[in-house]
C-alpha cells in the first residue's frame, strides 16, 4: 500500500466514452464521470504510441486539476497503421477510407491509460498495444458493415465487441479489454498502486 492515506478518495473516469464507462463498471467500484477538456491533435511527427500516452496523461491531469482529492483515470486510443495515427473517422466516408486502407493489414491499436491523484502526487501511465489483423475486405463487405454498425466514434472504424469481429483474422493482446478502449488489467494495477482496494 502507498505511504499516503486514501480514505474518502473518490474515483473519477476522465472520459466521455460510453465504452470506457461500461468497462470500468465491471470493477464494481463507485465512480463519477468527467469530460476532459483536452486538445487531441497530434504534435508534428508524433508517433501513435507517444500520442496515446501523452493524451491519456493529459486527460487524467485535466480532470484531476478539477477534482484534486480524487483518483482519476484517463485513457486514449490511437490506431497505428505502419506508424501513421488513425483517429475516429467521424463519418461514413472517412470510415470507408480507413477500412479500405486497413484491408489485409496489421494495425496496432495503442491504448494508453493513466491514473492521477493531484492531492497525493500519484501519477502512473501505461500502454497496451493490441495487434489487429484485418482480413481482405471488399467494398461490399465494408459498406454492409458500416451501414449495420456505424462505428464512426471508434478509432479504426471497427468495433471488435460487435459485428466488427467479422472483419478480422486475429487479435493479439495481453490485456483483453484494451481494444474496446480501457485496458482493465493495467488499470487495476495502477488503481491498486494509487491506494484503491480491489479484489
Amino acid at each position: 500500500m502507498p505511504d499516503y492515506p486514501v480514505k474518502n478518495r473518490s474515483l473519477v473516469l476522465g472520459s466521455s466514452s460510453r465504452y470506457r464507462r461500461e468497462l470500468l463498471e465491471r470493477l464494481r467500484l463507485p465512480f463519477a464521470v468527467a469530460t476532459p477538456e483536452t486538445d487531441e491533435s497530434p504534435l508534428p511527427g508524433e508517433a501513435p504510441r507517444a500520442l496515446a500516452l501523452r493524451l491519456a496523461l493529459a486527460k487524467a491531469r485535466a480532470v484531476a486539476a478539477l477534482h484534486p482529492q480524487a483518483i482519476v483515470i484517463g485513457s486514449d486510443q490511437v490506431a497505428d497503421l505502419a506508424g501513421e495515427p488513425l483517429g475516429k473517422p467521424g463519418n461514413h466516408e472517412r470510415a470507408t477510407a480507413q477500412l479500405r486502407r486497413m484491408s489485409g493489414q496489421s494495425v496496432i491499436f495503442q491504448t494508453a491509460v493513466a491514473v492521477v491523484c493531484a492531492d497525493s502526487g500519484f501519477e502512473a501511465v501505461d500502454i497496451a498495444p493490441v495487434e489487429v489483423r484485418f482480413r481482405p475486405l471488399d467494398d461490399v463487405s465494408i459498406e454492409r458493415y458500416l451501414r449495420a454498425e456505424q462505428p464512426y466514434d471508434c478509432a479504426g472504424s471497427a468495433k471488435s465487441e460487435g459485428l466488427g469481429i467479422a472483419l478480422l483474422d486475429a487479435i493479439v493482446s495481453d490485456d483483453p479489454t484494451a481494444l474496446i478502449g480501457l485496458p482493465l488489467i493495467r488499470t487495476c494495477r495502477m488503481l491498486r498502486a494509487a491506494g484503491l482496494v480491489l479484489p
Side-chain angles (χ1 to χ4, degrees):
M1 292 293 289
D3 295 332
Y4 41 81
V6 295
K7 60 185 178 183
N8 301 324
R9 292 227 187 273
S10 57
L11 180 63
V12 179
L13 175 62
S15 175
S16 58
S17 165
R18 63 185 174 93
Y19 309 109
R20 292 190 179 109
R21 186 173 65 247
E22 289 167 2
L23 287 171
L24 190 57
E25 285 171 352
R26 293 189 190 184
L27 301 184
R28 301 185 183 184
L29 295 169
F31 67 93
V33 176
T35 301
E37 298 298 327
T38 307
D39 181 358
E40 298 191 26
S41 305
L43 301 174
E46 189 172 28
R49 177 185 176 91
L51 174 60
L53 285 165
R54 179 175 64 81
L55 290 180
L57 190 55
K59 290 175 181 180
R61 285 173 172 169
V63 173
L66 301 174
H67 303 274
Q69 301 293 322
I71 294 172
V72 178
I73 300 168
S75 187
D76 192 76
Q77 183 179 76
V78 180
D80 179 349
L81 178 59
E84 180 186 345
L86 301 178
K88 299 171 184 175
N91 62 41
H92 188 85
E93 292 70 27
R94 286 198 288 269
T96 299
Q98 280 191 357
L99 288 173
R100 282 175 177 161
R101 292 187 61 202
M102 294 187 294
S103 173
Q105 303 295 313
S106 285
V107 180
I108 307 298
F109 284 78
Q110 305 282 8
T111 307
V113 60
V115 173
V116 171
C117 180
D119 183 59
S120 70
F122 180 87
E123 280 196 354
V125 63
D126 202 353
I127 196 158
V130 182
E131 181 185 358
V132 177
R133 295 199 285 271
F134 284 80
R135 65 178 181 82
L137 305 172
D138 57 40
D139 283 352
V140 173
S141 297
I142 290 172
E143 183 70 12
R144 185 185 302 121
Y145 169 68
L146 290 178
R147 292 296 178 192
E149 197 150 67
Q150 301 181 18
Y152 309 133
D153 61 345
C154 296
S157 305
K159 295 181 185 178
S160 65
E161 69 273 26
L163 182 59
I165 200 75
L167 306 180
L168 309 180
D169 272 337
I171 298 173
V172 182
S173 174
D174 67 355
D175 205 333
T177 60
L179 188 56
I180 304 172
L182 186 65
L184 285 179
I185 293 173
R186 285 165 173 78
T187 300
C188 287
R189 186 181 302 142
M190 286 190 280
L191 290 177
R192 289 189 191 98
L196 285 186
V197 177
L198 292 165

